[in-house]
Amino acid sequence: MSTFVLVPGMCHGGWCFAHLTRRLRGLGHTVHPLTLTGVGERRHLLHGTVNLDTHIHDVLAVLDGEDLRDTVLVGHSYGGMVITGAADRAPDRVDSLVYLDAVVPGDGDSCWSLVSDQERAWYADVDETGCASRPLPFFDARATPHPIASVLQPLRLTGDLDHVRRRDYVYAAGWADQSPFTPVHRRLSADPGWTTHALASGHNLMRDAPDELATILVDVAAR
């Protein structure tokens, strides 16, 4: 059986993986759905210095605290920033990376630098604290403001992630309009170092296609 750590996108908590978590645990796997600092049920920890490093440390703390090895890190949307950084800093604990309709950063990239002007306009719509981006109106009612420093901070990598056994990208092909992740999917589909998938789902793959996604994750974890 395998171990999965699930990292949500902006404004969301570990609850967004509920269906996927039940499916994977029902198959006998160990699953840790995370809520990042300053968001969801951890929103009381929000302050101006919560940044990308903070969220990477959230993942590292689980890897260390639970003594996890051969872990599959799964990141949705913004979560791609977090799992990339965690894999770089804990090479002895991470086996594979799975990006769910997510940003795929390199050294020096920030979430801000990787997205469109439309998404930057959303990030800049901060709440009354001045340090968090407001959830979009169509988000789940449980969504909370997201620390803006985490999308502004550039990611610093120490290596090239060659130690990662497998990297997969799961593309949501069912956006109502043009997906901002189409260029990423096309680029990685042509890269022999990646395995790519496309599901007929909206951006929230773990909500809209949990069974298909679980099948992909189990295949990723199989050695």
Side-chain angles (χ1 to χ4, degrees):
M1 294 295 102
S2 302
T3 300
F4 299 92
V5 172
L6 312 179
V7 180
M10 288 181 62
C11 305
H12 289 67
W15 46 263
C16 72
F17 293 107
H19 297 305
L20 180 62
T21 297
R22 284 195 294 270
R23 176 67 171 146
L24 291 171
R25 286 176 177 168
L27 294 171
H29 301 287
T30 300
V31 187
H32 296 272
L34 304 189
T35 295
L36 300 170
T37 298
V39 185
E41 69 271 20
R42 305 185 70 203
R43 61 187 177 275
H44 61 287
L45 300 175
L46 175 64
H47 52 76
T49 61
V50 174
N51 58 17
L52 178 58
D53 281 339
T54 309
H55 290 165
I56 292 170
H57 284 299
D58 286 338
V59 176
L60 298 178
V62 172
L63 295 176
D64 291 340
E66 299 291 336
D67 194 22
L68 303 182
R69 306 280 175 175
D70 298 325
T71 309
V72 179
L73 298 184
V74 181
H76 178 243
S77 199
Y78 159 79
M81 300 291 301
V82 181
I83 65 171
T84 304
D88 177 69
R89 300 184 195 185
D92 58 329
R93 295 187 180 274
V94 178
D95 173 77
S96 300
L97 298 173
V98 182
Y99 296 78
L100 308 181
D101 224 31
V103 291
V104 179
D107 181 51
D109 287 333
S110 67
C111 198
W112 179 275
S113 73
L114 293 174
V115 301
S116 68
D117 288 342
Q118 182 178 7
E119 289 171 287
R120 293 187 192 111
W122 163 36
Y123 297 170
D125 180 24
V126 297
D127 67 3
E128 63 278 359
T129 70
C131 63
S133 303
R134 302 177 194 273
L136 291 173
F138 54 83
F139 280 4
D140 187 289
R142 292 169 288 183
T144 60
H146 185 94
I148 192 171
S150 71
V151 300
L152 297 175
Q153 183 185 16
L155 176 65
R156 295 302 177 188
L157 300 177
T158 62
D160 54 14
L161 299 182
D162 279 350
H163 63 278
V164 175
R165 179 180 61 86
R166 181 165 166 173
R167 286 182 289 178
D168 283 58
Y169 194 89
V170 186
Y171 172 63
W175 280 65
D177 49 11
Q178 179 64 39
S179 167
F181 299 102
T182 299
V184 180
H185 178 244
R186 288 175 178 164
R187 173 173 58 86
L188 298 180
S189 294
D191 187 331
W194 286 78
T195 302
T196 59
H197 316 262
L199 297 180
S201 165
H203 183 53
N204 286 319
L205 294 149
M206 53 282 191
R207 180 196 64 196
D208 297 341
D211 291 341
E212 296 94 330
L213 188 51
T215 298
I216 291 171
L217 295 181
V218 170
D219 177 68
V220 170
R223 287 179 173 271

